[in-house]
Amino acid sequence: MPNSFQLVFLSSFVFVLGALVLLSQFINAKLNAAGYYVSDIILIGLPKENRTVTDHAPTTAVISETAGETTMPYAQLLALALAVVTSAFIYWKFSSSKRKPVLDPQVWQEFTLKEKVVVSPNTAIYRFALPHPEDVLGLPIGQHISVAAEINGKEIVRSYTPTSSDDNLGHFDLLIKAYELGNISKHVSLLKIGDNIRVKGPKGQFNYHPSLSRALGMIAGGTGITPMLQIIRAALKNPADRTKLNLIYANVNPEDILLKKELDELAAKHPSRFEVFYVLNNPPAGWTGGVGFVSKEQIEKHMPPTDENIKILMCGPPPMMNAMKKYLAELKYPAPRTVSKLVDQCPAMITALAPMIGMWAPVKSDRLRAYKACLQKYSPLLTISVSHSVRKMSSQTTTTPRAPMKELNESGGWSSSHTSSEANQTHPDFSDEEADVVLSSQEGILFRIHSIILKMSSSWFRTLFTLPQSSKTEQTASAMSQEVIPMSESADILEVLLSMACGKEIPISRLQSIDFIEDLLAVAEKYDMPGPSSIIRLSVSLTHVRTHPIRVYALACRWGWTEVARTASSHTLHMDLLDKKWAGELRLVGSADLARLMLLHRRRRDYLRKELDSAERFYANVVPGKCTGCNGDISHFRWHALKYAWVAVLEERPILVAEKDLLERAELLEVLDSKCPRCQKSLYNAESTLYNLRTILEQLPTDVEFEEDTARQ
């Protein structure tokens, strides 16, 4: 397709040529009418015998008429043919010759920031100018570029996928979400208009084309939408492309959904070819999309049916990708293609999206076993068993083959490995060679830590280390350092627990899962670690009490956190506990604690009913009813309807009472507008009625009562 400049050139050429032809015809006609002939003017100075003009009749130099037809001489036909051929050649030359793509996979080039469009508080589209307004970036669909910058004296390189295409001349766009701990993302967010970045590319093995497959399934998380959007745009704008596209897009909060408006518009414009399904970890009220993590069931429902002629593309944090691969394999989908590694775009993305992706395979330990171990934490049998395991492990010879271990791969997940190299089996955050204790997780990951830390933070380990140990003469220091204490907990649990004990930076993202919190708390109690237990309690009371009030209430009652239990119970006031959707969570609450919670909701209903029936508060409850104006008998049926409606709402839709929306209901407006049918005097004082009703709502019980509360009363 010709560009705008070529179209302007062609149209102007045709216009000028046509104008000249018309002008020449007009001048020729005027000269003929005045008695001047073009042939005479052109042939001045030549012998008259060579002229072909006779009696100044119309000549073949201009027009000759034969049998009523007007024909043009051969010379003019030749000139016109030459003009058409020249125009066609010029058009072909300009339209077929494209400027050479700017990208060079071997050379770093600098591009200037020309515009910044803010998408969200920490996300923006950055537009960088190419050297010439007619330049194209030259990036194949499905590939990405490298962006480099020198940060704190180090060369940092990350990969990004432009949201623009080669149809956009003179610039390219990058959608980047800035993170406080990010490198390139933070660097780009601080750029000013006119600053430069260094780019090299293209990179990647994937290259999209219309005949790639019958359908494409896409799974994206966070800014992993950028390579997907590149493919979606290219496929939908090509009328010859019939590929069907299905997208699952996962985020934490609604404001994290990038370019949602464009995605929705594309889905509405191409309903038969493009479908998008959103998943949120923290959905708003009335949300109709997915909730929590991307599940196997969502993939089965929203991805195209599996066969040999479809492909699955993914882009997101590595833990999410690992979980998705597992689900896809179980559903018999072909092996997915990872369009872009999100870890390249920003390592902090893993932390930012962790609430949305969780661990994707959260630890689901046997709680009965955990509680049993907790009760046995001081059991001599348990201590002897662990001590025996340590001695048995240290007595093994070096020729004993080791079981397949796991190592921490570069993407942050645990992957299987058959190497016996200890360096590859050690957690990178707990790899101090001077540490005198080595703990081994359930997967075989090693954690090197100083015994003094375990003694100070755990009574269980303090008791273990005070048991009789083998003498130093029986084992060298090297042999002692190789003793490994096997633990029944997973590496994820040990990482968080030991980080709390050592004062290291706590991976907060792990604490976003309430299931993980429960398992972590059970382990902290098992090894009698009050410090980590306090941190967990603080995390629960700050983050989960609003999103999972029943689960937090059950935890708080189980571990004796009275204040946290009160706070959690107050966050259940908007919930109808008799709704079957809460049955699963209510099973986790002990019978006595469940009775307290149900009693709280019953106390609220009884208090509301009692106060609404109070004759001291409301004149309408006085029997018989009399009008204060004419002293005639009146019926307070609207007031009684209001009382019935409010009590029913408290039982069926408690959220309206919790948020005091009752004051805006129609029943109250009808009461305040009631007048005596005889004297038309208002039956109720609006100001005092509203004041009393508001006071009742504010004085409703807000939290559960424990025995100490009853004793104080």
Side-chain angles (χ1 to χ4, degrees):
M1 290 293 293
N3 57 37
S4 57
F5 294 98
Q6 293 167 348
L7 290 175
V8 170
F9 169 80
L10 182 61
S11 59
S12 62
F13 179 85
V14 172
F15 175 80
V16 172
L17 179 61
L20 289 176
V21 171
L22 293 176
L23 182 61
S24 65
Q25 294 291 344
F26 176 78
I27 295 175
N28 188 31
K30 289 295 183 181
L31 290 175
N32 289 343
Y36 300 96
Y37 296 94
V38 175
S39 58
D40 284 74
I41 299 175
I42 295 175
L43 298 177
I44 291 176
L46 293 179
K48 290 189 176 183
E49 59 270 13
N50 294 333
R51 304 184 184 184
T52 58
V53 180
T54 305
D55 296 332
H56 299 291
T59 66
T60 59
V62 183
I63 297 176
S64 62
E65 295 183 3
T66 305
E69 295 182 358
T70 302
T71 60
M72 300 187 68
Y74 295 110
Q76 290 185 349
L77 289 175
L78 180 61
L80 181 60
L82 288 175
V84 172
V85 171
T86 303
S87 300
F89 174 77
I90 293 175
Y91 174 78
W92 172 82
K93 183 66 177 177
F94 277 86
S95 62
S96 61
S97 61
K98 294 183 178 179
R99 295 182 66 88
K100 184 179 179 181
V102 173
L103 280 179
D104 189 332
Q106 306 299 327
V107 179
W108 288 101
Q109 302 178 72
E110 289 195 350
F111 299 98
T112 302
L113 178 65
K114 60 182 289 189
E115 187 179 353
K116 177 180 177 180
V117 179
V118 177
V119 177
S120 69
N122 59 351
T123 307
I125 297 176
Y126 300 87
R127 176 162 293 181
F128 295 91
L130 298 176
H132 190 273
E134 289 296 302
D135 280 340
V136 295
L137 186 63
L139 182 69
I141 302 299
Q143 298 193 11
H144 47 277
I145 60 176
S146 295
V147 178
E150 185 174 336
I151 302 174
N152 297 327
K154 295 182 180 180
E155 181 83 358
I156 305 297
V157 180
R158 295 287 182 264
S159 294
Y160 289 93
T161 302
T163 56
S164 56
S165 68
D166 284 351
D167 291 337
N168 305 112
L169 303 180
H171 69 269
F172 67 93
D173 298 338
L174 294 179
L175 176 67
I176 299 179
K177 189 171 186 177
Y179 298 94
E180 186 63 29
L181 300 179
N183 290 316
I184 295 295
S185 65
K186 185 176 181 180
H187 172 78
V188 174
S189 69
L190 298 177
L191 292 178
K192 299 178 181 178
I193 302 299
D195 292 344
N196 295 335
I197 61 168
R198 291 190 295 126
V199 172
K200 184 171 68 173
K203 291 178 57 180
Q205 303 298 321
F206 180 77
N207 194 351
Y208 175 79
H209 50 84
S211 60
L212 181 66
S213 65
R214 174 183 60 82
L216 283 180
M218 303 178 177
I219 304 176
T223 54
I225 189 62
T226 53
M228 304 302 181
L229 185 59
Q230 181 194 44
I231 296 172
I232 292 169
R233 286 172 173 170
L236 296 181
K237 74 181 180 182
N238 185 356
D241 194 334
R242 290 290 178 254
T243 307
K244 182 173 175 53
L245 308 171
N246 296 76
L247 170 66
I248 295 179
Y249 186 20
N251 286 279
V252 181
N253 301 308
E255 59 270 18
D256 298 326
I257 304 178
L258 303 176
L259 303 174
K260 184 177 186 299
K261 181 179 178 181
E262 180 177 356
L263 291 172
D264 291 341
E265 289 177 351
L266 290 173
K269 187 177 180 181
H270 306 275
S272 62
R273 291 193 54 206
F274 177 51
E275 297 179 4
V276 57
F277 179 72
Y278 301 102
V279 180
L280 289 179
N281 193 54
N282 299 322
W287 175 254
T288 58
V291 178
F293 312 144
V294 177
S295 64
K296 178 180 176 181
E297 291 73 19
Q298 291 171 349
I299 294 176
E300 186 175 17
K301 180 178 180 181
H302 297 285
M303 288 290 99
T306 179
D307 61 36
E308 296 181 354
N309 197 23
I310 73 154
K311 294 187 183 298
I312 303 295
L313 307 179
M314 304 190 306
C315 184
M320 173 184 175
M321 297 298 96
N322 294 336
M324 296 301 100
K325 290 178 182 178
K326 177 182 177 182
Y327 293 153
L328 291 169
E330 293 174 356
L331 295 172
K332 309 300 182 183
Y333 278 92
R337 298 287 299 270
T338 302
V339 179
S340 176
K341 291 183 178 179
L342 204 57
V343 69
D344 288 342
Q345 299 196 10
C346 180
M349 174 61 70
I350 300 175
T351 301
L353 288 181
M356 178 264 294
I357 62 175
M359 290 305 299
W360 295 99
V363 180
K364 298 286 187 181
S365 64
D366 186 347
R367 290 190 171 84
L368 180 60
R369 184 183 63 186
Y371 297 148
K372 183 178 179 181
C374 184
L375 294 174
Q376 294 177 338
K377 61 184 178 182
Y378 292 114
S379 169
L381 179 61
L382 180 62
T383 305
I384 293 173
S385 175
V386 174
S387 179
H388 173 72
S389 299
V390 173
R391 293 193 181 98
K392 182 178 179 181
M393 202 167 206
S394 62
S395 64
Q396 293 178 348
T397 61
T398 56
T399 59
T400 302
R402 295 186 177 185
M405 306 292 281
K406 293 187 177 181
E407 66 182 73
L408 184 66
N409 59 33
E410 64 179 12
S411 63
W414 299 105
S415 60
S416 298
S417 171
H418 294 273
T419 178
S420 61
S421 171
E422 191 171 353
N424 290 336
Q425 303 160 6
T426 302
H427 193 288
D429 293 337
F430 298 90
S431 57
D432 187 359
E433 294 294 334
E434 297 181 1
D436 55 345
V437 175
V438 180
L439 306 179
S440 176
S441 70
Q442 190 179 48
E443 303 91 343
I445 308 302
L446 302 183
F447 293 78
R448 295 185 172 275
I449 188 170
H450 293 273
S451 60
I452 185 64
I453 296 177
L454 295 176
K455 291 178 182 178
M456 296 295 294
S457 60
S458 168
S459 297
W460 192 93
F461 281 103
R462 186 159 57 248
T463 303
L464 174 64
F465 293 140
T466 56
L467 294 174
Q469 305 292 326
S470 57
S471 63
K472 293 183 179 180
T473 59
E474 295 177 358
Q475 55 181 350
T476 63
S478 175
M480 290 179 62
S481 65
Q482 295 178 358
E483 287 191 352
V484 178
I485 301 177
M487 310 289 287
S488 60
E489 289 73 31
S490 68
D492 301 318
I493 291 285
L494 289 181
E495 177 191 5
V496 177
L497 199 65
L498 295 178
S499 296
M500 293 177 177
C502 297
K504 293 179 177 289
E505 182 179 358
I506 302 172
I508 298 297
S509 60
R510 304 285 179 83
L511 302 181
Q512 300 297 324
S513 169
I514 189 68
D515 291 327
F516 187 85
I517 288 284
E518 289 190 1
D519 294 330
L520 186 65
L521 187 60
V523 174
E525 186 69 12
K526 170 183 174 181
Y527 295 111
D528 198 10
M529 305 177 75
S533 297
S534 299
I535 298 174
I536 297 170
R537 173 179 176 175
L538 180 63
S539 173
V540 166
S541 61
L542 292 179
T543 59
H544 295 285
V545 71
R546 293 179 177 83
T547 56
H548 301 88
I550 297 179
R551 297 283 296 274
V552 172
Y553 176 76
L555 270 179
C557 293
R558 189 182 308 156
W559 302 109
W561 302 340
T562 304
E563 292 302 321
V564 177
R566 289 196 181 97
T567 304
S569 68
S570 67
H571 285 282
T572 68
L573 298 181
H574 68 282
M575 305 164 65
D576 181 8
L577 297 183
L578 298 181
D579 193 323
K580 63 180 181 180
K581 68 180 179 180
W582 306 117
E585 294 188 10
L586 289 173
R587 291 192 188 99
L588 303 176
V589 184
S591 57
D593 302 315
L594 179 59
R596 291 191 189 94
L597 188 60
M598 301 301 291
L599 183 58
L600 167 63
H601 289 250
R602 175 64 180 269
R603 284 165 44 219
R604 288 171 59 84
R605 186 189 64 184
D606 292 346
Y607 181 85
L608 178 63
R609 179 178 295 166
K610 183 187 72 172
E611 294 301 318
L612 289 177
D613 289 336
S614 172
E616 297 178 359
R617 282 187 181 272
F618 301 103
Y619 165 78
N621 292 320
V622 177
V623 178
K626 295 289 184 179
C627 174
T628 58
C630 63
N631 200 32
D633 293 337
I634 56 174
S635 172
H636 297 289
F637 68 93
R638 286 193 176 90
W639 169 253
H640 294 298
L642 178 142
K643 293 194 298 181
Y644 176 84
W646 277 34
V647 174
V649 165
L650 182 60
E651 293 182 349
E652 299 173 2
R653 300 182 63 192
I655 188 172
L656 296 180
V657 180
E659 297 177 355
K660 299 181 177 59
D661 288 344
L662 287 176
L663 297 175
E664 300 177 3
R665 290 179 62 86
E667 297 91 350
L668 178 57
L669 298 178
E670 292 177 0
V671 167
L672 298 179
D673 290 338
S674 298
K675 299 180 182 299
C676 175
R678 289 176 294 274
C679 65
Q680 298 300 311
K681 177 180 175 60
S682 296
L683 296 180
Y684 311 105
N685 185 299
E687 183 177 356
S688 63
T689 301
L690 287 173
Y691 174 81
N692 287 328
L693 291 175
R694 188 176 293 108
T695 301
I696 291 175
L697 294 179
E698 292 173 352
Q699 292 178 351
L700 288 173
T702 57
D703 53 45
V704 296
E705 289 184 347
F706 290 91
E707 287 72 16
E708 60 260 32
D709 300 325
T710 306
R712 282 197 298 266
Q713 294 175 358

